[in-house]
Amino acid sequence: MAIEPRSRAALVGRNGAGKSTLMKIVMGLIEPDAGDRSIQAGTRFAYVPQEPLITGETLLDYAASGAAERWTAEAWLTTFGLDPAKPAVNLSGGETRRAALAKAFAEEPDLLLLDEPTNHLDILAIELLETELLSARFAVLVVSHDRAFLNRVTDACHWLEGRRVRTLDKGFDAFDDWAAKVMEEEAESLRRLTKKIEAETYTFYRSITAQRTRNEGRARALQAMRADRAERVRDLPRELNLGVDSGALSGKLVAEVKGVSKGFGERTVIKPFTTRILRGDRLAIVGPNGAGKTTLVKILLGELAPDAGTVRLGANLEPVYLDQSREGLKSDMTLWDALTPGGGDSILVRGHSKHVAAYAKDFLFQEAQLRQPISTLSGGERNRLLLARALARPANLLVLDEPTNDLDMDTLDKLEELLESYDGTLILVSHDRDFVDRLATSTIAMNGRGDIVETPGGWTDFLRQNPAFLAPPQSSPAGGGGPRSGGGGQPQTPAPARKSSKLSYKDARRLEELERLLADLPAQIAKHDATLADPDLYGRDPAAFDRAMAAATKARTELEAAEIEWLELEEKRENLAS
C-alpha cells in the first residue's frame, strides 16, 4: 500500500479485518511481523482513534499537548465549535470527537489517520469535517462506515479483505461496483481451482500410469492446490444472519401527537408540534447533537410526559428500543450474560428457543467470545450485540437510536436489507445521511432551538425543501431569533450573515506561511540545480544524484502548489476587501 501526498484514501474492511492494526503499522505504533515500512524523512503523523482519550485541565491544554502551537490549537477548537477554556471532563461523545479532530488538525501533519471520525458527530459537524478535509494540504487515510462522507472526501480506496489489501485509484463512489467485480472474479477463480483439484485427484488415484510412476512432483502439485484452496476458503467472509419478527399486527394508528411541547428549565427543546405516525411508516429524526431527538422519541413512546399537548398511542404496540447509550451493557458482564439475562444456555428468538452459542454465531461472534467480558469487544461488536438482543424479541414498533455507530458496511447493508423488508413501524434516529435516504419515508428535523419540521422522504428531500433550517441563528437589528415553524410548518429563512471584510485568522496565517515558502523555495531549487550541474556526479555517486534530483522535483512541485494557493488566497482577500 502506498499513500501519496495530499491523497484522501478510504481504508475499507469488515469489523475485525485489521483496519486499526494496519493504521497503527502505517504510523509506526506497532511493528509488523514481516515486510517493510518506508516513509519520507520528517513526515509528521496525526491520529484520531475510535475512542479518543481527552486529558488535561482544559480543551486547549489537550489540543496543544502534542506538536501544535497554542494559538493554532485554539483556532481549530473554535472552528469545530468548542470553547478552548471548557474543562476536559464530562464531555459528550460529540465533544470528545470534535476535540480530538481539532488537536489532530492543529498539529498540521503530513498524514492524518482517522478511525471512524463521524461517530457521535451530528450532520452539521460531519459536513464541517468534510469541508476542512477537502481544503486540507495533508494526506488522509480514513476508516469510516459513512458512505455519504466517503463519497465526498475520498479519491482512493484501500480494501482490506481476507488479510490482503487491494487498491482502487478512485473515490469511494466507485468502490461498490469495483468490489463486486473483484469478488466475482475470485469466486470464479476458486470454482476453477476446485474443478481442477477434482480432476487431478481422480487422475492421480485412478490412473494406472500415475500409480506405476509414483510421480512425486504431481503429488506435491496436488497438495499445493489443496492448500491454496483451503487458504482461500478460510478467508471467505462469514455472513451475518439478521432476522426480525414484526409480531402481532398493531392498530393502524401508532401514535397521534397534538400540540406537544417540552422544555428543561429556561430552554425550550420542542415548540408546539403535531404529527401522526401510521402502521408501516419509516420515520427518521435528524438534527444537531443536543437538539432533543431522544426526548422526542421518549415522548412518542409515552415514556416522557410533554409540558403541553397530548400523545395518543395506538393499540397492540410491541415496541423494541435500541438505545445509543448502550444502557444495560455493563463492561464486566460477559457476552453470554448479555444474551441470557435470565440465565440458562438458550434464548427465545422470535418465539423459538435457540442455543446462545448458535444465536451468537448468527451475529459473527465466536464461541470463545461468549465468556469474555464486554469490555474486550470492539465498538462494532458491542453494537452487533445490541442488535442481537433487540432483534430477538418480536416488535411491531422498532426504535433505533444511532444504530450505525461502529458498524462496518457489510453489517450496515444487511441491516438496511432487513429494515427494508420489515413490515412493522420504524423510528430511526441517525446522523448517517445515506442510511436515512435509503430507509425513511418521512423525516422530522429538529434545529436545537425548539423548531421542528416534517418532510416526506429522506435527508436529501428534507435538505432540498428546507436548506436553511439547520443553519445557526443570525442576529438582526430587530433582535429576532432563529427560524420559526408553527406546529411543524415551514421555517422562515434566517437573515443572511454580514459579509466579513477580511480573511479568517486561519487563512491569514496560511497566507503568511505561503509568502515565506515563495521566498525560500527558489533558493532551495537553485541549490539542488547547482549540485546536479556537476557532470561527474552521477558516475561518482548515483545515489546522491538521485537524491538531488528527487529533492529538486519535490521543491518545484511545492513551489507550483504554493503559487496556486497564494493566488487563490490573494484573490479571496481582494474580494472580501472590495
Side-chain angles (χ1 to χ4, degrees):
M1 184 174 74
I3 301 172
E4 303 296 334
R6 292 202 177 194
S7 67
R8 297 186 303 273
L11 177 56
V12 183
R14 296 168 182 258
N15 289 139
K19 300 186 296 297
S20 297
T21 299
L22 182 55
M23 293 182 86
K24 290 174 182 176
I25 289 175
V26 169
M27 285 192 67
L29 297 178
I30 60 176
E31 289 294 324
D33 295 335
D36 298 316
R37 170 182 173 270
S38 301
I39 63 169
Q40 203 171 68
T43 297
R44 295 167 299 175
F45 296 92
Y47 176 46
V48 179
Q50 281 190 35
E51 298 181 1
L53 177 63
I54 309 299
T55 57
E57 291 188 10
T58 67
L59 291 183
L60 180 56
D61 292 333
Y62 163 72
S65 62
E69 299 285 350
R70 287 185 74 85
W71 65 265
T72 310
E74 184 174 2
W76 277 108
L77 285 168
T78 303
T79 296
F80 280 102
L82 296 171
D83 179 1
K86 182 180 176 67
V89 293
N90 300 323
L91 302 175
S92 68
E95 289 172 328
T96 298
R97 182 70 55 184
R98 284 182 283 144
L101 288 168
K103 179 178 185 292
F105 274 80
E107 291 173 358
E108 298 181 347
D110 300 299
L111 173 59
L112 174 61
L113 298 101
L114 303 173
D115 199 348
E116 297 290 0
T118 64
N119 276 0
H120 308 294
L121 293 185
D122 59 38
I123 292 176
L124 297 181
I126 292 172
E127 291 182 339
L128 171 63
L129 175 59
E130 290 171 349
T131 300
E132 295 297 342
L133 288 176
L134 287 170
S135 62
R137 303 182 305 278
F138 46 71
V140 179
L141 181 64
V142 57
V143 173
S144 178
H145 64 267
D146 189 325
R147 290 177 180 273
F149 171 76
L150 292 178
N151 283 342
R152 186 174 180 202
V153 304
T154 61
D155 54 25
C157 297
H158 301 294
W159 183 25
L160 178 55
E161 177 70 29
R163 297 175 293 128
R164 295 171 55 197
V165 177
R166 304 167 178 85
T167 296
L168 172 67
D169 293 325
K170 294 181 181 179
F172 185 77
D173 54 354
F175 173 79
D176 283 338
D177 291 341
W178 170 74
K181 184 178 180 181
V182 170
M183 295 303 287
E184 288 174 6
E185 290 173 351
E186 295 194 351
E188 177 60 22
S189 175
L190 179 60
R191 187 191 67 79
R192 289 198 301 266
L193 177 61
T194 302
K195 285 291 186 184
K196 187 175 180 181
I197 290 172
E198 290 173 357
E200 187 67 14
T201 300
Y202 179 87
T203 302
F204 186 81
Y205 287 105
R206 299 295 179 91
S207 168
I208 296 176
T209 303
Q211 291 178 15
R212 285 177 178 172
T213 57
R214 300 183 181 277
N215 191 325
E216 294 298 328
R218 197 167 190 175
R220 285 194 298 270
L222 179 58
Q223 186 177 7
M225 283 193 290
R226 287 175 173 170
D228 181 18
R229 185 184 184 282
E231 191 77 359
R232 295 195 202 184
V233 171
R234 170 190 154 187
D235 287 335
L236 289 177
R238 292 181 297 146
E239 291 293 329
L240 193 70
N241 184 17
L242 291 182
V244 63
D245 182 356
S246 57
L249 196 66
S250 70
K252 184 174 182 180
L253 176 70
V254 172
E256 186 176 49
V257 177
K258 290 185 177 180
V260 161
S261 64
K262 185 68 179 177
F264 296 97
E266 297 182 357
R267 183 190 171 207
T268 299
V269 177
I270 300 173
K271 294 176 182 177
F273 174 65
T274 298
T275 190
R276 176 180 291 184
I277 304 173
L278 301 179
R279 184 178 65 232
D281 282 353
R282 296 176 186 172
L283 175 67
I285 303 177
V286 301
N289 287 336
K293 300 185 294 295
T294 301
T295 298
L296 178 59
V297 167
K298 291 183 176 180
I299 289 175
L300 293 176
L301 294 177
E303 295 181 4
L304 183 65
D307 295 339
T310 61
V311 177
R312 182 164 66 96
L313 297 178
N316 302 323
L317 288 181
E318 296 178 345
V320 166
Y321 186 19
L322 192 151
D323 184 5
Q324 65 165 322
S325 64
R326 296 170 178 163
E327 288 184 4
L329 290 185
K330 298 179 181 178
S331 60
D332 58 343
M333 75 166 39
T334 65
L335 194 148
W336 187 297
D337 295 334
L339 289 175
T340 58
D345 59 2
S346 62
I347 180 172
L348 196 64
V349 179
R350 299 183 287 278
H352 301 282
S353 180
K354 193 167 188 176
H355 193 275
V356 64
Y359 187 58
K361 189 176 180 181
D362 289 344
F363 288 81
L364 307 184
F365 292 110
Q366 304 283 353
E367 191 167 349
Q369 292 179 282
L370 290 173
R371 296 300 184 184
Q372 293 177 358
I374 287 175
S375 59
T376 65
L377 300 180
S378 69
E381 287 172 330
R382 281 180 231 177
N383 246 18
R384 287 209 310 270
L385 176 56
L386 283 175
L387 283 174
R389 284 171 30 129
L391 298 179
R393 304 195 302 272
N396 53 31
L397 174 58
L398 199 55
V399 184
L400 305 180
D401 195 348
E402 291 296 342
T404 66
N405 281 348
D406 301 308
L407 293 181
D408 59 42
M409 290 181 189
D410 293 310
T411 303
L412 278 178
D413 288 342
K414 287 286 185 183
L415 183 58
E416 285 175 3
E417 290 174 10
L418 176 75
L419 296 177
E420 283 173 355
S421 61
Y422 175 60
D423 57 5
T425 305
L426 174 67
I427 298 177
L428 172 67
V429 180
S430 181
H431 300 303
D432 190 320
R433 294 157 293 178
D434 183 77
F435 198 69
V436 170
D437 270 339
R438 294 188 187 203
L439 291 173
T441 56
S442 64
T443 299
I444 291 177
M446 309 176 70
N447 65 5
R449 301 183 291 277
D451 306 305
I452 303 179
V453 294
E454 184 170 6
T455 307
W459 166 256
T460 303
D461 299 301
F462 154 73
L463 198 61
R464 184 173 58 251
Q465 297 179 49
N466 306 276
F469 179 69
L470 295 179
Q474 304 293 339
S475 59
S476 63
R484 299 281 176 177
S485 65
Q490 294 295 324
Q492 298 173 2
T493 302
R498 186 170 61 89
K499 184 180 178 182
S500 174
S501 61
K502 62 181 182 178
L503 289 174
S504 69
Y505 181 72
K506 189 170 66 175
D507 283 345
R509 294 288 300 193
R510 178 56 180 166
L511 192 59
E512 292 176 8
E513 183 181 347
L514 288 169
E515 288 170 351
R516 287 195 299 271
L517 284 173
L518 292 174
D520 295 344
L521 285 171
Q524 293 181 26
I525 293 170
K527 180 181 176 182
H528 296 313
D529 286 346
T531 301
L532 292 168
D534 180 356
D536 299 325
L537 177 62
Y538 185 79
R540 185 175 65 250
D541 191 348
F545 178 87
D546 290 341
R547 285 195 299 272
M549 179 66 77
T553 301
K554 181 175 181 289
R556 284 190 170 88
T557 302
E558 290 178 354
L559 178 61
E560 182 181 354
E563 288 172 344
I564 293 172
E565 190 175 357
W566 181 86
L567 287 170
E568 290 173 349
L569 286 176
E570 271 295 308
E571 184 179 358
K572 182 177 180 180
R573 184 180 64 80
E574 291 173 3
N575 289 337
L576 288 172
S578 62

